[in-house]
Amino acid sequence: MNPYFIEPKLKEECGVFGVFNHPEAAHMTYLGLYALQHRGQEGAGIVACDGKRMRVEKGLGLVNDVFKEEHLQRLKGTMAVGHVRYSTCGDDILKNVQPFLVNIGQDKLAIAHNGNLTNAVRLKRILEQSGSIFQTTSDTEILLHLIARSQKSKLADRIVDALNQAKGAFSLLFLSEKCLIAVRDPFGFRPLCLGDLNGSAVFASETAAFDLIGAKFLREVEPGEMVIVDESGIKSLKLLAPSPLGVKQCIFEHIYFSRPDSVVFGSNVYEVRKALGRQLAMEHPAPADIVVPVPDSGVPAAIGYAEESKIPFQMGIIRNHYIGRTFIEPEQSIRNFGVKIKLNPIREVLEGKSVALVDDSIVRGTTSRKIVQLLRQHGAREVHLRISSPPTIGPCFYGIDTPHKSELIASLKSMAEIRDFIGADSLGYLSLEGLLHVEPQKKNFCTACFDDRYPLHPED
Ligand code: AMP
């Protein structure tokens, strides 16, 4: 095995939350993570500090499974950071669950990271060659080693020192015994927001976390900005070298990843998705009797599609939200079993109908293929698949779990081949121009998964 192996960068999605100076810091963080659960279901952790001691609780699984009241009681103090994580690989996955808590000299430091470094392999090699020993396969640990080696005395300067050597995506929260620090990389790939909870500063990947705890959304942490919160208040510093390409926020947060009730990159995600659906209807009308979303991710775009096309919207497929992690499959094969656990079409809605089926994206094409088959089995006469994003032709190196090019159907097949593989009567993807027309800050988005124009390439 390659000794410099780092967990494949395509496989990590995360959410972060932090709070400073709140009497129930751990409970607030628990709730914040609960609201960010969609960003990672594999593991969750919280580090809390009472000014003297830092304590950590973490585990594998959903936030609600990991944390019981006794864990939160142990997490004493008025400051805390938390993390949810999704990752499909790594043997010792518990070790990779964040926040990481380490000693740096006399001080303790916790880190929670959303995003992936593109020069992780190179940095890790250099660090290991000069004596660093790594405990995890996560690129986040690299940042801790770089901070530990910095010759600067102040924590903020040491962090800047480290981050100026790192490339890629990082929306980060650091917690020390004295302060909470938030940083966003100069491209601003992943979101990070600042809020106010009755005078206490809070940070979260998405504003939906603020809604749950009753915090007010103040603003986003700006790309390249470091926000330091301590006893003296909130300070903003711009110490990272700016990105030569400007800001490149992930457009896929708007298309799929973020919650529709969040405000991300200055826009409400639900409104953006609806507008994408309207644009899709203009670009690809369908001879349909009803518009049906693939729930849940396709719902806002389908509402927009229905509004624009004046075709009635119908929830023709119902999603079961209560799917456990330890599902035991029957031995006898049932057709499309995997998809049926999650999605069940309604025959009474579909019988004899021509359906415009709306989803946000196609990755491998396997789910869409099964859904189209299911709709036909439940009486749909025609199925016209409409996708509210352009064809996904490339992986993400900055924190979205998209597979390698060789597994992305749109990088392998022509439109007609995809349509035939999926078994739809017609197929229409939103154009890249259409997507950027809908998005108000068109120049500020990373669209690499749709156009192969990567602002940063992974380095060996
Ligand atoms: P596929 O069958 O592989 O084409 O999967 C398509 C479905 O995956 C769509 O319904 C998307 O909403 C969903 N999807 C897109 N990106 C992701 C992602 N990063 N993680 C999980 N699901 C995704």
Side-chain angles (χ1 to χ4, degrees), residues 97-156:
V97 174
Q98 298 186 30
F100 298 147
L101 175 61
V102 292
N103 293 310
I104 297 185
Q106 301 300 308
D107 302 318
K108 289 210 164 206
L109 184 66
I111 183 171
H113 176 197
N114 177 201
N116 288 136
L117 305 184
T118 51
N119 62 345
V121 174
R122 193 173 64 77
L123 287 174
K124 189 177 187 193
R125 187 168 53 233
I126 294 166
L127 286 164
E128 285 192 326
Q129 280 166 352
S130 56
S132 288
I133 296 169
F134 282 81
Q135 298 199 354
T136 73
T137 52
S138 158
D139 56 356
T140 308
E141 196 186 352
I142 293 167
L143 298 175
L144 292 172
H145 284 272
L146 293 173
I147 292 167
R149 285 171 181 232
S150 168
Q151 298 300 308
K152 299 275 171 34
S153 53
K154 283 194 194 146
L155 176 62

Side-chain angles (χ1 to χ4, degrees), residues 292-295 316-320 334-353 355 357 365-383 421-424:
V292 171
V294 176
I317 308 171
I318 299 302
R319 181 173 172 149
N320 179 354
I334 296 173
R335 231 164 20 128
N336 291 329
F337 186 72
V339 171
K340 276 192 197 164
I341 298 171
K342 243 197 216 174
L343 303 174
N344 193 26
I346 304 176
R347 177 173 292 279
E348 288 73 4
V349 173
L350 300 166
E351 190 88 68
K353 298 282 189 335
V355 177
L357 177 67
T366 46
T367 315
S368 316
R369 177 188 169 106
K370 288 176 185 161
I371 293 170
V372 170
Q373 276 175 16
L374 273 186
L375 292 193
R376 292 201 197 280
Q377 286 160 14
H378 284 74
R381 178 167 49 83
E382 288 175 17
V383 182
F421 173 83
I422 286 171

Side-chain angles (χ1 to χ4, degrees), residues 104 108-112 142-166 170-176 179-184 224-229 237 239-241:
I104 297 185
K108 289 210 164 206
L109 184 66
I111 183 171
I142 293 167
L143 298 175
L144 292 172
H145 284 272
L146 293 173
I147 292 167
R149 285 171 181 232
S150 168
Q151 298 300 308
K152 299 275 171 34
S153 53
K154 283 194 194 146
L155 176 62
D157 295 335
R158 294 170 81 120
I159 291 172
V160 170
D161 236 9
L163 295 181
N164 274 332
Q165 297 169 67
F170 47 87
S171 279
L172 287 162
L173 293 177
F174 296 93
L175 184 67
S176 77
C179 65
L180 174 61
I181 296 180
V183 196
R184 217 169 141 210
E225 185 187 15
M226 171 183 271
V227 180
I228 305 174
V229 190
L237 303 171
L239 299 174
L240 298 181

Side-chain angles (χ1 to χ4, degrees), residues 10 13 38 41 86 252 255-257 294-298 319 339 342-343 358-371 387 392 399-403 407-409 421-422 429:
L10 320 179
E13 293 175 340
H38 62 290
Q41 297 94 43
Y86 169 75
F252 205 64
I255 291 166
Y256 168 80
F257 197 44
V294 176
D296 291 324
S297 56
R319 181 173 172 149
V339 171
K342 243 197 216 174
L343 303 174
V358 180
D359 203 356
D360 63 276
S361 56
I362 299 178
V363 184
R364 294 180 175 86
T366 46
T367 315
S368 316
R369 177 188 169 106
K370 288 176 185 161
I371 293 170
I387 303 297
T392 304
I400 295 284
D401 173 33
T402 339
E407 291 177 59
L408 292 170
I409 192 168
F421 173 83
I422 286 171
Y429 281 95

Side-chain angles (χ1 to χ4, degrees), residues 178-397:
K178 297 191 189 73
C179 65
L180 174 61
I181 296 180
V183 196
R184 217 169 141 210
D185 69 73
F187 290 91
F189 286 112
R190 306 257 71 85
L192 188 60
C193 305
L194 167 63
D196 174 85
L197 178 60
N198 303 322
S200 307
V202 282
F203 295 93
S205 296
E206 290 180 40
T207 59
F210 296 159
D211 296 338
L212 177 59
I213 59 170
K216 185 171 165 229
F217 169 46
L218 295 178
R219 65 177 179 88
E220 306 203 357
V221 176
E222 284 172 31
E225 185 187 15
M226 171 183 271
V227 180
I228 305 174
V229 190
D230 61 17
E231 286 295 307
S232 63
I234 300 183
K235 266 200 300 286
S236 162
L237 303 171
K238 281 268 190 166
L239 299 174
L240 298 181
S243 130
L245 299 171
V247 170
K248 293 283 173 195
Q249 304 177 121
C250 170
I251 207 155
F252 205 64
E253 291 274 353
H254 279 177
I255 291 166
Y256 168 80
F257 197 44
S258 291
R259 279 174 59 147
D261 48 342
S262 286
V263 175
V264 174
F265 310 144
S267 308
N268 166 247
V269 174
Y270 175 81
E271 292 296 338
V272 171
R273 288 184 192 163
K274 252 176 65 173
L276 295 175
R278 283 196 292 269
Q279 179 72 25
L280 179 63
M282 284 188 255
E283 290 184 14
H284 297 285
D289 305 312
I290 51 175
V291 176
V292 171
V294 176
D296 291 324
S297 56
V299 171
I303 293 172
Y305 193 98
E307 272 179 15
E308 180 63 34
S309 63
K310 311 247 178 333
I311 300 171
F313 174 92
Q314 292 279 7
M315 285 298 291
I317 308 171
I318 299 302
R319 181 173 172 149
N320 179 354
H321 289 98
Y322 308 100
I323 297 164
R325 323 202 103 236
T326 53
F327 199 88
I328 302 156
E329 293 198 19
E331 279 176 26
Q332 287 205 334
S333 71
I334 296 173
R335 231 164 20 128
N336 291 329
F337 186 72
V339 171
K340 276 192 197 164
I341 298 171
K342 243 197 216 174
L343 303 174
N344 193 26
I346 304 176
R347 177 173 292 279
E348 288 73 4
V349 173
L350 300 166
E351 190 88 68
K353 298 282 189 335
S354 173
V355 177
L357 177 67
V358 180
D359 203 356
D360 63 276
S361 56
I362 299 178
V363 184
R364 294 180 175 86
T366 46
T367 315
S368 316
R369 177 188 169 106
K370 288 176 185 161
I371 293 170
V372 170
Q373 276 175 16
L374 273 186
L375 292 193
R376 292 201 197 280
Q377 286 160 14
H378 284 74
R381 178 167 49 83
E382 288 175 17
V383 182
H384 301 276
L385 183 59
R386 296 292 179 265
I387 303 297
S388 62
S389 65
T392 304
I393 55 167
C396 177
F397 303 121

